[in-house]
Every structure is written in structure tokens, then in C-alpha cells.
């Protein structure tokens, strides 16, 4: 089970909360889910350099509250809050473009700083991804990532690479770990993310598990 079930989805409702919090009637549910997906995609694309870790969306009848968890909040806010206002206008345009005036919603956009970016599985994956694309030695990239994660205070980390690693003729899977990562324990706070690096030889899949301790 530990290899097949998504570590975050396995713990939602028990250890973790939902990233989207709202209620919709059955007829409107699918449209709202697609709207959340488009909203997250646009924000991640626009804020590539901000180190976006998570985007929480909370809806009420007239207000949509969006909380951005980023490692570099200054990039999002900009000088005098100019960049934040621009992002807010883009979000309002996306959400209200096809709605009547009475159905339009207000946007409450907030930015929260991630104090320890080395404990974010998403940011660790993105760093390794960029290194592999630039043909950096994969073992050195993974070793450096593991050292950073453990120095940041993690109790365990596991990294998996799969594909034509280092331009090899035959695809393979390599796993690296340090400390303990209890994938079966529901109370374990495990941050997980996966992404593929598009190298010259083909796609190399990257998976990262970071164990931060038990949730009391």
C-alpha cells in the first residue's frame, strides 16, 4: 500500500486538511473543480520564480479567499504591493469573465511565507529537476538535496529517480534514502511531490518523500 497510495491523499481528513474548501450543488460541482484547477495553473505559471509550495482556496457566496504559500514572498508582493495587485486583477479576470454582474465574486488574496523551503518536497523536486535538465550529475544532485533536507530538521527523506538516468540506454529506477519514512503511519507528517524532468535523453521521473515527524 505504501508504494501505491498517494501519501498526502492517504492522510487527508486525518492528518492533513483539504486544499480546496467549499460547497457546491451537484450541477455546479464539476465546473467549480475545473475553475480551481485553472486558477492554480495560472498562479503557478505566473509565479514561477516565487517558489510556490501550496495554494489554498476557500469559497463563500461572494468572496473567494486564496492563500499562497511561497518561499519568496517578495517576488509575489513586488515593490509597494504592485505585483500582488496585478496578480489579483488577473485572478478576478479569470473568475468573473463569463459571469453576470450579480454573480461576480471578490478576491481575498493572501501570501504566507514558507520558513523552511528545504522541508518542502515540491521545492526539492524542482531543484533536482533543474539540475538534471542542465546535465548535473544525478547522484551528486540527490546527495546534496538529502543533506539539505536533513540539515533543515527532517527526520527522514526518500528520493526516487526513474527513467533514462544520466542518458543511459536502458531505463532504470534508483532510490536513495536517509533516516526513517513511515509510509504506513497515518499520523506521520509526510510531505510528498512528484514531477518529471525533461532531459535530452527523455523524461526522468522524480519522487520525494520528506518525513517531518508525527502530528500530535
Amino acid at each position: 500500500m505504501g508504494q501505491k497510495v498517494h501519501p498526502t491523499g492517504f492522510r487527508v481528513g486525518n492528518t492533513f486538511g483539504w486544499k480546496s474548501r467549499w460547497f457546491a450543488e451537484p450541477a455546479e460541482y464539476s465546473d467549480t473543480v475545473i475553475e480551481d484547477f485553472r486558477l492554480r495553473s495560472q498562479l503557478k505559471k505566473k509565479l514561477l520564480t516565487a517558489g510556490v509550495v501550496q495554494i489554498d482556496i476557500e469559497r463563500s457566496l461572494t468572496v473567494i479567499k486564496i492563500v499562497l504559500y511561497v518561499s519568496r514572498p517578495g517576488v509575489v508582493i513586488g515593490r509597494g504591493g504592485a505585483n500582488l495587485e496585478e496578480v489579483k486583477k488577473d485572478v478576478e479576470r479569470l473568475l468573473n469573465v463569463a459571469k453576470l454582474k450579480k454573480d461576480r465574486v471578490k478576491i481575498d488574496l493572501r501570501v504566507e511565507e514558507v520558513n523552511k523551503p528545504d522541508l518542502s518536497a515540491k521545492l526539492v523536486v524542482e531543484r533536482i529537476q533543474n539540475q538534471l535538465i542542465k546535465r548535473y550529475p544525478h547522484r551528486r544532485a540527490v546527495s546534496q538535496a538529502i543533506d539539505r533536507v536533513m540539515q533543515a530538521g527532517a527526520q527522514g527523506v526518500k528520493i526516487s529517480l526513474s527513467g533514462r538516468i544520466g542518458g543511459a540506454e536502458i531505463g532504470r529506477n534508483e532510490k536513495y534514502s536517509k533516516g526513517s519514512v513511515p509510509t504506513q503511519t497515518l499520523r506521520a507528517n509526510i510531505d510528498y511531490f512528484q514531477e518529471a524532468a525533461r532531459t535530452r535523453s527523455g523524461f526522468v521521473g522524480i519522487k520525494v518523500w520528506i518525513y517531518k515527524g508525527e502530528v500530535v
Side-chain angles (χ1 to χ4, degrees):
M1 185 183 288
Q3 296 177 353
K4 299 173 186 176
V5 177
H6 194 290
T8 304
F10 187 46
R11 293 166 175 80
V12 167
N14 184 2
T15 306
F16 304 129
W18 283 260
K19 294 176 184 176
S20 289
R21 295 181 290 276
W22 42 263
F23 172 81
E25 296 294 340
E28 301 170 352
Y29 182 83
S30 58
D31 291 337
T32 312
V33 170
I34 292 170
E35 194 173 77
D36 275 13
F37 175 77
R38 286 177 179 163
L39 179 59
R40 285 193 171 95
S41 298
Q42 178 170 318
L43 287 170
K44 286 174 183 175
K45 195 181 294 183
K46 190 170 182 66
L47 303 171
L48 271 176
T49 57
V52 178
V53 174
Q54 184 175 312
I55 301 172
D56 285 358
I57 300 173
E58 194 172 320
R59 295 172 182 262
S60 64
L61 292 173
T62 56
V63 179
I64 296 181
K65 180 182 173 184
I66 303 169
V67 184
L68 302 172
Y69 294 90
V70 297
S71 61
R72 293 184 287 276
V75 175
V76 183
I77 297 167
R79 186 171 292 178
N83 199 25
L84 187 63
E85 284 301 316
E86 187 183 333
V87 173
K88 192 174 179 180
K89 285 176 183 176
D90 286 348
V91 171
E92 285 177 343
R93 201 177 298 119
L94 175 70
L95 296 177
N96 293 326
V97 68
K99 292 181 180 177
L100 299 172
K101 193 171 182 180
K102 64 181 180 65
D103 296 326
R104 289 178 181 175
V105 292
K106 292 180 180 178
I107 307 299
D108 180 13
L109 188 62
R110 302 183 186 182
V111 181
E112 296 284 343
E113 183 179 5
V114 176
N115 294 321
K116 294 184 178 180
D118 287 324
L119 287 180
S120 167
K122 183 176 185 294
L123 298 182
V124 172
V125 167
E126 288 175 354
R127 190 185 299 118
I128 295 173
Q129 183 185 36
N130 290 330
Q131 289 174 321
L132 294 182
I133 291 170
K134 293 174 183 175
R135 305 184 76 177
Y136 194 79
H138 67 278
R139 287 193 180 90
R140 192 183 301 169
V142 171
S143 177
Q144 289 173 354
I146 288 174
D147 288 343
R148 282 198 198 97
V149 171
M150 295 304 288
Q151 285 170 13
Q155 294 190 20
V157 57
K158 182 167 69 172
I159 298 176
S160 170
L161 302 179
S162 59
R164 292 182 60 187
I165 304 167
E169 288 294 323
I170 299 173
R172 64 182 189 275
N173 185 283
E174 289 188 7
K175 291 183 180 179
Y176 308 85
S177 63
K178 193 170 185 179
S180 73
V181 184
T183 52
Q184 296 296 302
T185 309
L186 277 172
R187 61 181 178 273
N189 183 2
I190 295 178
D191 192 14
Y192 171 81
F193 194 75
Q194 65 181 47
E195 191 67 80
R198 189 173 183 175
T199 66
R200 292 186 182 186
S201 307
F203 284 99
V204 175
I206 308 164
K207 296 180 181 179
V208 173
W209 294 257
I210 297 176
Y211 176 47
K212 302 178 186 178
E214 290 190 358
V215 176
V216 180

